[in-house]
Amino acid sequence: MSYHEHTDYKYARNLRAGAPETVKAFMELDKQVLRNPDNTIPPKYAELMAVAVALTTQCAYCIETLAAGEPASFAAGRRP
């Protein structure tokens, strides 16, 4: 057994049921920070900061989510 179990994602439903406004606020923050085309910070730098935070906090769920998403802008060769 480890801290991070892939089956833990099934508990997200419980989190959404128990704290819906918090989950909604977090999702809005994520959307505005990483997916807003009008951001001052270019997407590749926002993605790099997200990876840095995930690695610094050792958030296994964050690292897995970032790794499973679309290729990062910097990895795909897109420039700001």
Side-chain angles (χ1 to χ4, degrees):
M1 174 138 183
S2 66
Y3 169 73
H4 173 64
E5 296 291 330
H6 294 284
T7 58
D8 287 349
Y9 289 109
K10 66 183 177 184
Y11 296 110
R13 182 178 330 151
N14 297 343
L15 185 60
R16 284 190 302 271
E21 291 303 315
T22 302
V23 172
K24 182 178 176 184
F26 179 79
M27 296 308 290
E28 183 61 27
L29 172 69
D30 181 71
K31 178 178 151 190
Q32 290 300 318
V33 171
L34 294 176
R35 294 167 181 78
N36 184 350
D38 298 326
N39 281 348
T40 302
I41 299 172
K44 81 173 187 178
Y45 297 118
E47 291 169 359
L48 283 170
M49 287 186 275
V51 169
V53 169
L55 292 172
T56 300
T57 61
Q58 290 296 293
C59 176
Y61 305 103
C62 301
I63 294 167
E64 188 173 278
T65 299
L66 289 164
E70 291 182 25
S73 293
F74 62 91
R78 294 190 299 267
R79 303 211 180 268

